[in-house]
Amino acid sequence: MTTVHNLGFPRIGARRELKFALEAYWKGESSRDALKATGAALRQRHWQQQSGLDLVPVGDFSFYDQVLDTSVMVGNLPQRVRGFQGDPLDNYFRVARGRSVQSDAEHTACCGVAAGEMTKWFDTNYHYIVPEFSADSAFTLDASRLLEQLAEARAQGVQAKPVIVGPVTYLAIGKAKDSSDKLALLPALLAVYSQLLDTLAEQGVEWVQIDEPILVTELDTDWQHAFNLAYHQLKACRIKILIATYFGQLQENLYLAANLPVAGLHLDAINGHDDIRPLLNLLPDHKVLSLGVINGRNIWKTDLSRVLDWLEPLAERLGERLWIAPSCSLLHVPVDLDSEQRLDAEIRSWLAFALQKLDELRLLARALRDGRDAVKAELAANAADLAARRASPRVHDPAVREAVAAIDANLGRRHSAYPQRADEQAALLQLPAYPTTTIGSFPQTGEIRQARSAYRAGTLDDAGYRSAMRAEIARSVREQEALGLDVLVHGEAERNDMVEYFGEQLEGYAFSQFGWVQSYGSRCVKPPILFGDIRRPRAMTVEWIRYAQSLTVKPMKGMLTGPVTMLNWSFVRDDQPRAVSCRQLALAIRAEVLDLEQAGVRVIQIDEAALREGLPLRRAEWRAYLDWAVDAFRIAANGVRDRTQIHTHMCYSEFNDIMETIAAMDADVITIETSRSDMELLDAFDDFNYPNQIGPGVYDIHSPNIPTREHIVQLMRKAAERIPPQRLWVNPDCGLKTRQWAEVLPALRNMVAAAHTLRQAA
């Protein structure tokens, strides 16, 4: 009998119940008990939805982030939050976002601190809170959260499989704040993991899933040795360990992974299918092999007959040693396709969300147990849906393919080199030293959301909606002028999401109603579904930007999302190379850039927030990705005249190791996140002379904390030690749509004051 299990389930809720509960608590509008009750109700529902699986994950639910949960569990919280006397959950939120709640009147436990650094979980759009280490880091077990969830699951009759982040991955993805050797902490950390596993064994747990995705990356000898050390020590624990790897191939780590002294190994058979055959020859006969046969990161239906073609011989060979699962946690896909009422019926027939993926797993298990004839009708329906997708004329556009085939190198070149462009732009824009700007969006107020909702419901007509959005744009312009910002933005009141807004206006995209995916904490995104060839039928932003520019004499940025970010933050079609889809997007964005320039827009920002997260996990594969990604950006950006200033923006990723590539994008100005890492990104400029202008983000917009003028001046002076002051901008680290005006205005006021201080000292 093949065991069917799951690695993790979406925790935000099918209707974003956790998001709303978190935000109500942070605002002081609900109690801690109400928040915890929402969490318990969601866990109960999610376990019920996974019924029929042989093993169900427990511990995958989090109020913010599973890596931060691990830091709490092993007692590794930053020094700045130790000694906190309030509820541990409030201290948890202080690490996550700098503050537990926003209302001092309602809560006493809300004193703000610097939030933990946040970055992308491997090559996904999920953000985790980076663990912080030092030479004197000590670890102490606090298994209360996991044990409470385990007790809840058992009370519900769940066949529970606790899920935890592995010790080696935990160390690898953290940062030593004092330049000490993280690996020196491994023995002390393992003592806590041993205690945890023994505690779970005492609770009668048979299997525990330990996630070690770092195994799909290139490991040097020390980190390979760390794996052997870790699991030879943990093998003494009285519990069966399933090591879970995902997001890539094991390759040279195959032998290491196969021979670790554990009871089972999970392999991502979507991204690491080529590892299966050699792994079969390496895996000891007593070990379980779990295969991720359903894509846990995309939303297309699985070709079930094709999977069975290669899975059936493995089932015959391995017998009960074969387990099947999704390739990774289902955290990265929406919950339930059945809740979609507005999604195009044809496209809907091609898709599978989390619950449907579990149905696919159950069907595969039935086929392996009872034979294909037992599920003949289901397999035929699956094959018919896949064939209809392949044949659909909506997927293929010959004109778009001809345009991509006609791309040549000249399309990606500016007319002149940066120094000449910079002179022309300086003469035209007449900006002061340390020019100030923001990243693009301003708060999405309740009024904006209500107008958008009424417009979509048909209770507000087109004229009324446009009037409401114009009023919000005018407010953003007035506030920026009052603040004294130098380059303004229109605030993006009319935009729901930086990818969805553009996708809705491009042919080749479709949109779900409830396809929410967690990005970080309470922040959810609804990735568009890129199902076909991409075409821009008409201008998308010109009317709004032209209106905003008419309200001010200051430069108004045209705001666009770049092709690489459009790609990486969408559910992308799997029937052609991603590079081809990206070039199609580049041509569409290029047309918009040229229309903005024609409309008199002098500054155009093309955000590439997701450039870094698309980077392959293995350095050997970086060059190919970076070549086509940079090429796509340059195609989109470089048709303009020299005097038009091109900006780009990137956030919350590790950029130090691709600075040469970022420079090759040849944007006139790049704004980049640096505030949460205390300008650590700027270490890259010790060895690399970045040639163009840069705005290192000085205001952490993902925290409610308001930066002081003195703090911003300090950060900018750090930047000026590495980058000539005449090439520095002053700006937040990301867009402001998730904040409130009451937070934004004092923060930006301090930012502008800091710029004035810097100018006076220059």
Side-chain angles (χ1 to χ4, degrees):
M1 293 284 292
T2 298
T3 294
V4 184
H5 70 117
N6 188 20
L7 273 64
F9 196 80
R11 55 201 180 218
I12 207 72
R15 300 297 174 93
R16 297 179 292 165
E17 294 91 332
L18 183 58
K19 168 190 174 64
F20 299 123
L22 283 167
E23 292 175 357
Y25 176 67
W26 293 336
K27 293 175 183 176
E29 297 172 353
S30 74
S31 69
R32 193 180 302 117
D33 287 344
L35 173 61
K36 291 180 177 179
T38 298
L42 284 171
R43 291 192 293 271
Q44 182 177 8
R45 182 203 304 168
H46 296 162
W47 289 327
Q48 178 61 37
Q49 289 171 324
Q50 296 174 83
S51 64
L53 302 183
D54 297 307
L55 289 171
V56 175
V58 170
D60 55 331
F61 178 87
S62 174
F63 278 119
Y64 204 95
D65 164 49
Q66 74 270 13
V67 179
L68 178 56
D69 291 346
T70 306
S71 293
V72 172
M73 183 178 70
V74 301
N76 181 43
L77 291 180
Q79 184 66 42
R80 61 187 177 276
V81 302
R82 295 178 192 170
F84 183 75
Q85 299 302 311
D87 188 285
L89 185 61
D90 282 334
N91 209 26
Y92 173 89
F93 288 136
R94 292 170 78 224
V95 182
R97 58 194 299 271
R99 191 175 291 269
S100 57
V101 291
Q102 294 180 27
S103 171
D104 287 336
E106 297 270 342
H107 298 264
T108 59
C110 65
C111 37
V113 296
E117 185 178 348
M118 188 165 65
T119 196
K120 303 292 178 69
W121 176 246
F122 292 83
D123 59 348
T124 75
N125 186 32
Y126 176 80
H127 303 65
Y128 70 92
I129 302 297
V130 178
E132 299 177 22
F133 304 116
S134 64
D136 60 354
S137 290
F139 305 101
T140 306
L141 180 64
D142 177 3
S144 57
R145 181 193 68 91
L146 184 57
L147 294 178
E148 287 169 6
Q149 293 186 22
L150 179 62
E152 288 177 16
R154 286 180 162 170
Q156 194 176 323
V158 172
Q159 291 294 107
K161 169 171 57 76
V163 176
I164 58 177
V165 177
V168 184
T169 291
Y170 179 72
L171 282 177
I173 64 174
K175 286 188 176 180
K177 305 303 267 186
D178 58 358
S179 301
S180 58
D181 179 12
K182 294 184 294 184
L183 278 177
L185 301 173
L186 183 59
L189 183 61
L190 289 175
V192 172
Y193 269 80
S194 295
Q195 186 182 354
L196 171 65
L197 295 183
D198 284 339
T199 300
L200 292 174
E202 290 169 3
Q203 295 293 317
V205 172
E206 181 181 10
W207 282 94
V208 62
Q209 174 186 317
I210 301 184
D211 288 356
E212 293 283 13
I214 203 71
L215 269 168
V216 304
T217 68
E218 290 139 329
L219 301 175
D220 64 24
T221 303
D222 290 341
W223 286 96
Q224 291 173 345
H225 176 67
F227 268 103
N228 278 313
L229 174 66
Y231 288 95
H232 276 86
Q233 179 167 333
L234 296 180
K235 74 177 181 180
C237 301
R238 296 166 290 115
I239 199 167
K240 295 178 181 177
I241 295 173
L242 176 75
I243 289 183
T245 69
Y246 40 78
F247 299 152
Q249 295 179 291
L250 290 168
Q251 292 188 15
E252 74 280 357
N253 296 326
L254 265 170
Y255 183 86
L256 170 66
N259 287 283
L260 291 174
V262 295
L265 176 67
H266 174 81
L267 178 74
D268 180 341
I270 303 299
N271 292 296
H273 189 83
D274 291 344
D275 286 339
I276 296 175
R277 186 173 297 277
L279 184 60
L280 290 173
N281 297 323
L282 293 171
L283 200 70
D285 290 342
H286 64 276
K287 283 190 182 180
V288 160
L289 176 60
S290 169
L291 292 177
V293 297
I294 303 292
N295 193 334
R297 288 184 57 179
N298 214 330
I299 43 75
W300 305 105
K301 280 186 175 177
T302 303
D303 187 336
L304 297 174
S305 295
R306 185 176 180 182
V307 170
L308 285 170
D309 287 343
W310 60 264
L311 193 57
E312 286 168 334
L314 291 179
E316 185 173 345
R317 175 174 174 174
L318 295 173
E320 293 186 354
R321 292 171 52 215
L322 176 66
W323 292 14
I324 58 173
S327 59
C328 60
S329 170
L330 296 175
L331 174 69
H332 309 286
V333 295
V335 176
D336 187 9
L337 184 65
D338 287 344
S339 64
E340 296 293 332
Q341 302 301 318
R342 299 178 188 170
L343 188 62
D344 180 287
E346 181 183 17
I347 294 170
R348 189 175 180 274
S349 71
W350 305 339
L351 307 179
F353 290 178
L355 292 180
Q356 288 69 44
K357 289 177 182 295
L358 295 180
D359 287 340
E360 290 181 331
L361 269 180
R362 296 182 184 102
L363 192 146
L364 288 171
R366 284 175 56 204
L368 292 175
R369 181 189 65 213
D370 302 329
R372 293 199 197 196
D373 284 347
V375 292
K376 185 176 181 179
E378 292 93 331
L379 291 177
N382 173 260
D385 288 338
L386 297 174
R389 179 187 167 201
R390 286 192 295 269
S392 174
R394 301 173 63 188
V395 172
H396 309 290
D397 186 330
V400 173
R401 293 178 174 265
E402 289 174 11
V404 170
I407 291 174
D408 61 25
N410 290 326
L411 218 57
R413 295 195 186 106
R414 292 292 288 268
H415 299 295
S416 304
Y418 167 75
Q420 182 178 336
R421 304 197 311 261
D423 288 343
E424 285 198 40
Q425 292 162 18
L428 177 67
L429 298 174
Q430 295 290 304
L431 298 175
Y434 293 101
T436 56
T437 191
T438 64
I439 303 306
S441 59
F442 274 100
Q444 289 270 313
T445 64
E447 292 82 2
I448 292 174
R449 297 179 192 278
Q450 288 168 14
R452 184 178 299 128
S453 178
Y455 180 58
R456 290 191 166 179
T459 58
L460 180 66
D461 64 16
D462 189 69
Y465 175 73
R466 289 179 178 276
S467 176
M469 294 302 103
R470 283 188 168 216
E472 293 290 343
I473 290 170
R475 176 187 181 179
S476 292
V477 174
R478 286 196 308 270
E479 296 287 9
Q480 291 172 86
E481 289 200 314
L483 288 164
L485 289 162
D486 299 307
V487 175
L488 311 190
V489 298
H490 78 296
E492 303 182 14
E494 81 287 0
R495 303 186 188 183
N496 44 9
D497 175 83
M498 64 182 290
V499 175
E500 184 175 3
Y501 174 78
F502 290 97
E504 285 178 333
Q505 301 182 74
L506 295 170
E507 294 180 1
Y509 266 111
F511 299 86
S512 63
Q513 186 178 1
F514 301 110
W516 298 102
V517 176
Q518 186 179 21
S519 178
Y520 64 87
S522 69
R523 173 72 171 142
C524 301
V525 294
K526 190 149 57 73
I529 300 164
L530 197 167
F531 71 88
D533 291 333
I534 298 298
R535 179 199 293 271
R536 186 195 76 138
R538 64 191 66 85
M540 301 179 285
T541 67
V542 174
E543 176 187 345
W544 299 111
I545 304 301
R546 184 189 283 127
Y547 171 70
Q549 183 66 80
S550 74
L551 302 175
T552 181
V553 296
K554 290 190 173 184
M556 176 65 61
K557 279 196 286 190
M559 301 300 306
L560 303 173
T561 302
V564 183
T565 297
M566 289 286 295
L567 184 86
N568 286 336
W569 286 358
S570 299
F571 289 124
V572 181
R573 58 190 294 188
D574 57 358
D575 60 342
Q576 71 179 14
R578 291 172 69 88
V580 174
S581 294
C582 199
R583 290 190 180 97
Q584 293 178 0
L585 285 163
L587 291 175
I589 300 302
R590 178 187 178 90
E592 188 72 14
V593 169
L594 295 177
D595 278 352
L596 284 169
E597 184 182 54
Q598 183 66 31
V601 179
R602 295 169 286 169
V603 182
I604 301 172
Q605 181 171 308
I606 307 171
D607 288 335
E608 284 295 15
L611 178 79
R612 174 63 173 78
E613 80 182 45
L615 202 64
L617 297 178
R618 292 179 170 273
R619 284 180 177 268
E621 300 168 6
W622 282 13
R623 188 73 267 152
Y625 165 76
L626 290 172
D627 282 349
W628 62 254
V630 171
D631 180 56
F633 176 84
R634 291 175 64 103
I635 290 168
N638 287 349
V640 296
R641 291 170 288 182
D642 289 347
R643 67 182 184 180
T644 299
Q645 189 174 77
I646 295 293
H647 291 223
T648 191
H649 168 68
M650 300 179 185
C651 60
Y652 294 101
S653 287
E654 297 295 327
F655 295 107
N656 300 47
D657 43 13
I658 60 166
M659 269 298 171
E660 288 190 26
T661 297
I662 292 173
M665 294 167 69
D666 200 25
D668 299 304
V669 182
I670 180 172
T671 50
I672 201 162
E673 180 275 321
T674 54
S675 59
R676 279 211 176 191
S677 60
D678 195 31
M679 293 281 168
E680 180 184 286
L681 175 73
L682 299 181
D683 292 346
F685 297 100
D686 290 336
D687 302 313
F688 181 74
N689 181 23
Y690 188 78
N692 302 4
Q693 298 174 62
I694 185 165
V698 292
Y699 163 21
D700 175 13
I701 68 89
H702 293 89
S703 169
N705 295 341
I706 296 171
T708 64
R709 177 183 63 83
E710 294 76 16
H711 179 66
I712 294 171
V713 168
Q714 179 187 12
L715 291 177
M716 289 305 300
R717 284 177 174 159
K718 276 188 180 182
E721 292 172 1
R722 295 172 168 97
I723 300 163
Q726 64 269 24
R727 290 201 270 118
L728 283 172
W729 287 60
V730 186
N731 48 261
D733 61 10
C734 203
L736 298 162
K737 67 180 292 185
T738 61
R739 301 259 59 91
Q740 304 297 315
W741 278 107
E743 301 163 330
V744 165
L745 292 176
L748 292 182
R749 198 172 292 120
N750 290 345
M751 191 185 84
V752 171
H756 284 292
T757 298
L758 292 163
R759 290 167 194 165
Q760 291 167 4

